[in-house]
Amino acid sequence: EVILDIFATHARTHEAMLQVELAQLMYFRTRLKRMWTHLERVGGGGTGGLGAGRGPGEKQLETDRRLIDKRISELKDRLKEVEDRRIRTVSLRHEQPTVSLVGYTNAGKSTLMRALTGADVLVEDKLFATLDTRTRRWKLPNFGEVLLSDTVGFVRNLPHHLVASFRSTLEEARRADLLLHVVDASSPEAERQ
């Protein structure tokens, strides 16, 4: 929940907001059961008159689950469109070598990108300051120009359904020619990361 709250706070782009909402709904959907134990059935039911023969009615839990499932489906469709656009954009870059900065959250990926490219990217000492992939041109001496991407940071033990929510963001790293793994050497967890 804390990670989702951090994600929600840092989501700036349309894609990041969609991804965070999807992750939150998928997380909370599994926790609905305990939230509605105090409510009886709502809607339907009845013992005669207009309500006769309609059955016992629907529980609030069932109503909420159905609404959440509908919204999850809508978000997945919209994210699929975003992902398809990203795949097209990334695949058009095949003429130019691509490098993705990867590593744990708060390892210094954005700081390195700023130092290498001079890009005006957000650099903050906090978890998940970057939720969106940013790509900038990087001129390498005796080589030429490459595209350098700053990606969302890794986190240990992130539930699989949350990772799936950020699949399109990870597309940049997946299609890169080179992954540059950034590790904060001062971290006591550096070897594990």
Side-chain angles (χ1 to χ4, degrees):
E1 249 180 282
V2 171
I3 291 171
L4 287 173
D5 287 344
I6 293 169
F7 282 179
T9 302
H10 296 170
R12 299 279 180 264
T13 66
H14 175 67
E15 180 182 3
M17 289 179 203
L18 290 174
Q19 290 170 326
V20 168
E21 185 180 354
L22 176 60
Q24 287 174 323
L25 287 173
M26 292 175 77
Y27 176 81
F28 288 116
R29 186 190 186 285
T30 60
R31 285 151 183 79
L32 279 176
K33 189 172 187 177
R34 292 181 295 274
M35 296 172 67
W36 298 115
T37 56
H38 65 286
L39 293 176
E40 290 296 320
R41 294 184 185 275
V42 295
T47 56
L50 294 175
R54 289 192 324 186
E58 184 176 51
K59 288 186 177 181
Q60 184 67 46
L61 169 66
E62 294 161 343
T63 303
D64 289 349
R65 191 171 285 148
R66 185 172 28 80
L67 292 172
I68 286 174
D69 287 346
K70 182 176 186 252
R71 182 64 181 155
I72 286 173
S73 179
E74 291 169 0
L75 290 170
K76 283 181 177 179
D77 289 345
R78 289 170 65 188
L79 280 169
K80 177 75 172 116
E81 292 170 11
V82 170
E83 183 178 346
D84 290 345
R85 256 194 320 269
R86 182 182 301 278
I87 289 170
R88 282 192 302 274
T89 302
V90 171
S91 63
L92 289 174
R93 297 179 187 161
H94 66 277
E95 305 92 30
Q96 217 163 8
T98 56
V99 178
S100 284
L101 299 173
V102 297
Y104 272 78
T105 184
N106 214 29
K109 295 180 299 300
S110 298
T111 301
L112 182 59
M113 182 176 208
R114 181 179 275 192
L116 295 174
T117 66
D120 185 24
V121 294
L122 176 67
V123 174
E124 283 193 61
D125 184 16
K126 64 182 180 182
L127 301 174
F128 303 106
T130 303
L131 277 185
D132 301 298
T133 301
R134 292 177 185 87
T135 303
R136 301 292 186 270
R137 298 186 187 285
W138 177 28
K139 292 187 182 189
L140 295 172
N142 303 319
F143 182 80
E145 201 171 75
V146 299
L147 295 176
L148 182 68
S149 297
D150 182 12
T151 62
V152 67
F154 302 155
V155 63
R156 189 181 330 272
N157 299 326
L158 191 63
H160 293 293
H161 67 275
L162 296 185
V163 174
S165 300
F166 290 88
R167 199 170 99 196
S168 64
T169 300
L170 299 172
E171 184 66 26
E172 197 81 37
R174 193 172 81 77
R175 297 207 175 241
D177 296 310
L178 175 70
L179 298 178
L180 184 56
H181 189 183
V182 180
V183 179
D184 178 359
S186 68
S187 170
E189 295 288 312
E191 283 296 318
R192 294 180 70 195
Q193 293 178 350

